[in-house]
Amino acid sequence: MWIGWLELDLLLGDVHSLKGKRSVVRPLVSELRRRFEVAAAEVDALDLHRRAGVGVAVVAADHAHVTRVLDAVEELVAARPELDLLQARRRLRSSDDD
């Protein structure tokens, strides 16, 4: 079993309130869940209206599938015009890792 996750650090564009932030982050998280069948949530910078931390996790039988899914998630987020992907930290672990 392989587990992979991304921690995405995002700078939001024309957002001036936490309500505006929610209108950008919630649809993004929903799209990631629906399109890629991953676990996704806003996990960092919860009190900042122009920054967001989004975590994405996937579990699969093989390393290649996990890598493909995480690559696709990162590409989709990076292509969103309403935000800038500042950093993407990735980790992969096997159930055989100690």
Side-chain angles (χ1 to χ4, degrees), residues 27-76:
L28 173 65
V29 168
S30 294
E31 182 178 2
L32 295 175
R33 289 176 180 163
R34 184 184 71 252
R35 184 179 286 196
F36 300 108
E37 297 181 357
V38 297
E42 183 179 2
V43 296
D44 197 13
L46 300 174
D47 294 333
L48 302 174
H49 69 273
R50 292 215 49 227
R51 294 290 292 268
V54 174
V56 178
V58 61
V59 177
D62 63 275
H63 178 273
H65 180 73
V66 171
T67 300
R68 280 192 306 273
V69 171
L70 295 180
D71 285 346
V73 166
E74 190 172 343
E75 288 174 16
L76 180 122

Side-chain angles (χ1 to χ4, degrees), residues 8-15 24 28 50-54 74 76-88:
L8 304 167
D9 185 11
L10 307 174
L11 178 64
L12 307 179
D14 190 29
V15 173
V24 173
L28 173 65
R50 292 215 49 227
R51 294 290 292 268
V54 174
E74 190 172 343
L76 180 122
V77 171
R80 297 291 288 254
E82 70 274 17
L83 54 86
D84 289 318
L85 177 59
L86 299 176
Q87 185 175 29

